[in-house]
Amino acid sequence: KGIDKYSFTDSPVNLTVEDKLTPPEMSGYRKEIREGEVVSMQCKTTHTCNVAPPTIRWTPQGGPVSVDHRDLGEGRWEITSRYNFTASLTHHKESINCTVHHGGGAGSISSRATLNVSYAPRNTTVSVDGGITEVREGSPVAMTCSSESNPPISSYAWYSLSGKADQTQLKETGRSEE
């Protein structure tokens, strides 16, 4: 009695359920960053299970993380995680991963950003080519200067104790190592 009142025999309803995970959206940062700059990255995803929302994990870890939840209506929610850190040489060419873990065996999915951190020259060394330890005054000597920096050093300037070295006596073979 009353069953036909809600039947859809003439107009069937097709329901498609997908369990495809969508990668989280990463934003809020520039790919080129200067050493010492504060970086604030965001990772955002939507979900439909407010009782057991997904969790977001950053790797590598190293700075404060905050999480916000927002009701989008119609059974959808958004979760945003913010990860803050101060860029350093160790972050250069490092992949920062944002991984969303869904409960109930639904799995995990990640997004990744690789940072390009600019930093001043460091670990500068001068060596005498050929391993020579003693040089007679007035004798030619070949020396190599090397340094780590990003962007790589394109040229070096040599100075004597009395001022800038005579450029006519310098044979520039400056090279940079990344």
Side-chain angles (χ1 to χ4, degrees), residues 80-119:
T80 303
S81 176
R82 288 176 184 78
Y83 176 47
N84 300 306
F85 61 94
T86 301
S88 71
L89 168 66
T90 60
H91 295 109
H92 181 58
K93 292 187 179 178
E94 181 176 50
S95 290
I96 306 291
N97 296 290
C98 161
T99 304
V100 176
H101 300 277
H102 294 273
S108 300
I109 191 161
S110 298
S111 287
R112 172 178 57 197
T114 302
L115 304 180
N116 183 2
V117 179
S118 298
Y119 55 93

Side-chain angles (χ1 to χ4, degrees), residues 8-176:
F8 297 97
T9 54
D10 294 334
S11 305
V13 174
N14 292 323
L15 179 62
T16 304
V17 178
E18 293 184 14
D19 64 351
K20 180 181 174 189
L21 297 177
T22 304
E25 176 189 327
M26 288 181 73
S27 63
Y29 68 98
R30 294 187 333 271
K31 292 195 183 201
E32 303 224 357
I33 301 164
R34 291 180 190 241
E35 182 177 31
E37 197 174 305
V38 175
V39 179
S40 181
M41 300 179 83
Q42 294 179 17
C43 182
K44 186 186 302 187
T45 191
T46 58
H47 61 95
T48 57
C49 184
N50 195 38
V51 177
T55 57
I56 296 177
R57 185 171 149 225
W58 293 92
T59 51
Q61 298 174 344
V65 175
S66 64
V67 178
D68 295 319
H69 297 271
R70 187 168 67 117
D71 186 348
L72 299 175
E74 298 182 9
R76 294 176 40 99
W77 289 268
E78 179 180 82
I79 182 171
T80 303
S81 176
R82 288 176 184 78
Y83 176 47
N84 300 306
F85 61 94
T86 301
S88 71
L89 168 66
T90 60
H91 295 109
H92 181 58
K93 292 187 179 178
E94 181 176 50
S95 290
I96 306 291
N97 296 290
C98 161
T99 304
V100 176
H101 300 277
H102 294 273
S108 300
I109 191 161
S110 298
S111 287
R112 172 178 57 197
T114 302
L115 304 180
N116 183 2
V117 179
S118 298
Y119 55 93
R122 61 189 67 207
N123 300 325
T124 302
T125 58
V126 175
S127 59
V128 177
D129 294 354
I132 300 170
T133 57
E134 291 184 21
V135 179
R136 289 183 189 220
E137 185 176 341
S139 299
V141 64
M143 297 187 302
T144 301
C145 182
S146 63
S147 222
E148 297 173 23
S149 69
N150 185 42
I153 295 172
S154 59
S155 66
Y156 292 91
W158 292 89
Y159 294 84
S160 69
L161 292 176
S162 61
K164 191 162 184 168
D166 182 355
Q167 293 293 323
T168 61
Q169 295 178 1
L170 288 177
K171 180 177 156 188
E172 179 139 356
T173 57
R175 59 181 183 251
S176 60

